[in-house]
């Protein structure tokens, strides 16, 4: 590994200052910044409007720690899973999910995960480190390129539902979203970005105070504390009362609808009392419930609930005027579906 500084850690103004100190003109910093972000240059040699001397000088001082798509798998349904190698040899996964009207990037925010949800393959990897803003950005660029190549259209949406808990890497995730939405980056609308959290109350309030423009999804799976703690042990630290208070604060500050991600498992949360608790939890603000098909990770403890249980959820939620959708999983044949990332790779 190089001890040179990664040039993408510099702001545009820092790049301009660097060139002035080198006796060059400040606008060179603007040119380099454009190559690094809106053009996603992988090397200084790509920067063709700079002189060879300037490129050599950059090479002597900096590196571009670009990701590399180490392995790409394509599913029979058009889903693509990337094994993404980072500059230090660690690997994360990201997924392209196509539908008739959109292509969505599901990106990772940490190598491994610091939480301990029992139904998720990623949680079995200890958290090794947070991803840097540029590593998150690069995943999006790679998937945008694949969307254009294989689906003939640019990427339309981004969900932070890959490996890791985004709110445990708060600053870097927000910096990445700033770059993704900036006209000097990818220029995507923040309204097309969803950050999905297992529920870190303090950070949800912080996002509300910062009036972020992207959407919030909460990986809920039960609105009964004992049940939720049994499948998501960190709920003992961040109980539902604290989560709900943070979400009330979020809604009061942003007026943005909250999406709940919710898997129904056989014998765990497939009873009427589970739906009643969910309805009660949802009442304080406009919300939407995504019922997600479960994808086994080979241990038998968790099994997809019967269709009757799903129908009960849908009927009871709709009767209470709560928007509900049933999301069928994509990319199951390549272990790219919800909860499967890192299941059979590495």
């Amino acid at each position: 590994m190089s001890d040179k500084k990664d040039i993408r850690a510099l702001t545009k103004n820092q790049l301009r200052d660097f060139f002035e100190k080198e006796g060059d003109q400040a606008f060179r910093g603007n040119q380099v910044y454009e190559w690094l972000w809106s053009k996603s240059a992988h090397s200084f040699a790509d920067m063709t409007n700079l002189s060879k001397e300037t490129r050599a000088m950059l090479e002597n001082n900096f590196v571009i720690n670009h990701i590399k798509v180490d392995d790409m798998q394509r599913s029979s349904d058009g889903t693509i899973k990337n094994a993404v190698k980072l500059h230090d040899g660690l690997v994360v996964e990201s997924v392209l999910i196509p539908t008739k009207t959109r292509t969505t990037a599901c990106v990772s925010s940490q190598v491994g995960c610091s939480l301990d949800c029992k139904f998720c393959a990623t949680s079995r990897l200890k958290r090794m480190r947070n991803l840097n803003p540029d590593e998150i950005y690069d995943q999006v660029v790679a998937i945008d390129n694949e969307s254009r190549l294989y689906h003939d259209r640019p990427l339309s949406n981004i969900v932070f539902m890959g490996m890791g808990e985004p709110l445990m890497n708060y600053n870097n995730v927000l910096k990445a979203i700033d770059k993704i939405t900036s006209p000097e980056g990818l220029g995507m609308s923040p309204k097309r970005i969803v950050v999905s959290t297992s529920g870190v109350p303090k950070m949800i309030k912080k996002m509300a105070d910062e009036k972020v423009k992207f959407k919030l999804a909460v990986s809920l799976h039960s609105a009964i504390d004992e049940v939720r703690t049994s499948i998501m042990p960190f709920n003992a630290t961040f109980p539902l009362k604290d989560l709900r208070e943070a979400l009330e604060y979020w809604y009061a500050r942003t007026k943005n609808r909250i999406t709940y991600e919710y898997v129904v498992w056989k014998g765990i949360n497939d009873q009427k009392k589970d739906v009643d608790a969910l309805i009660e939890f949802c009442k304080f603000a406009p919300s939407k419930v995504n019922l997600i098909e479960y994808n086994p990770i080979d241990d038998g403890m968790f099994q997809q609930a019967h269709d009757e249980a799903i129908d009960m959820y849908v009927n009871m939620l709709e009767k209470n005027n709560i928007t509900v959708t049933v999301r069928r999983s994509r990319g199951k044949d390549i272990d790219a579906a919800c909860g499967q990332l890192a299941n059979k790779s590495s």
Side-chain angles (χ1 to χ4, degrees), residues 295-339:
N295 305 293
I297 55 171
D298 295 343
D299 59 8
M301 176 182 169
F302 295 92
Q303 293 171 29
Q304 171 73 19
H306 293 306
D307 288 347
E308 293 81 8
I310 306 295
D311 293 343
M312 174 179 67
Y313 265 92
V314 171
N315 293 334
M316 289 177 67
L317 288 164
E318 285 180 343
K319 270 186 194 154
N320 284 272
N321 300 313
I322 296 166
T323 304
V324 56
T325 59
V326 179
R327 280 214 334 236
R328 299 295 171 199
S329 286
R330 310 290 302 269
K332 284 201 278 191
D333 56 332
I334 55 169
D335 292 311
C338 238

Side-chain angles (χ1 to χ4, degrees), residues 136-304:
I136 296 169
Y137 185 91
D138 284 352
Q139 290 175 73
V140 175
V141 171
I143 289 178
D144 180 46
N145 290 338
E146 289 166 350
S147 179
R148 291 168 193 269
L149 179 63
Y150 296 109
H151 297 283
D152 206 24
R153 57 179 188 262
L155 182 67
S156 59
N157 295 72
I158 301 169
V159 293
F160 280 79
M161 295 182 189
M163 296 166 71
E165 164 53 64
L167 299 194
M168 297 284 197
N169 186 16
Y170 184 88
N171 291 337
N172 288 352
V173 165
L174 262 65
K175 281 179 189 167
I177 291 173
D178 277 347
K179 285 280 191 293
I180 289 162
T181 55
S182 162
E184 295 181 313
L186 300 179
M188 287 187 74
S189 165
K191 292 186 171 63
R192 293 181 169 275
I193 298 174
V194 176
V195 171
S196 176
T197 175
S198 295
V200 187
K202 183 173 78 172
M203 305 317 286
I204 290 171
K205 288 180 176 175
K206 185 172 166 69
M207 283 197 300
D209 285 336
E210 295 186 5
K211 294 192 163 59
V212 298
K213 299 285 194 296
F214 51 78
K215 294 176 178 173
L216 175 67
V218 178
S219 187
L220 190 65
H221 311 303
S222 179
I224 299 170
D225 264 317
E226 306 78 64
V227 178
R228 194 167 194 257
T229 301
S230 74
I231 56 175
M232 304 167 83
F234 69 88
N235 185 71
T237 311
F238 304 129
L240 287 165
K241 174 175 66 71
D242 295 355
L243 175 58
R244 176 160 168 164
E245 185 204 333
L247 292 171
E248 284 173 351
Y249 186 82
W250 162 272
Y251 183 70
R253 295 301 298 260
T254 67
K255 291 292 178 274
N256 282 342
R257 180 171 81 164
I258 301 155
T259 297
Y260 296 105
E261 308 285 351
Y262 199 103
V263 179
V264 187
W265 291 285
K266 187 175 164 185
I268 292 176
N269 58 353
D270 57 354
Q271 302 299 308
K272 181 177 178 294
K273 68 175 196 285
D274 298 296
V275 197
D276 287 336
L278 175 60
I279 290 165
E280 190 55 42
F281 191 89
C282 288
K283 276 182 178 170
F284 67 89
S287 58
K288 173 187 176 188
V289 175
N290 279 337
L291 295 175
I292 302 168
E293 186 180 0
Y294 179 61
N295 305 293
I297 55 171
D298 295 343
D299 59 8
M301 176 182 169
F302 295 92
Q303 293 171 29
Q304 171 73 19

Side-chain angles (χ1 to χ4, degrees), residues 77 97-103 151 153 156 330:
D77 64 19
I97 306 157
T99 66
K100 285 193 176 83
T101 55
R102 60 172 70 178
T103 50
H151 297 283
R153 57 179 188 262
S156 59
R330 310 290 302 269

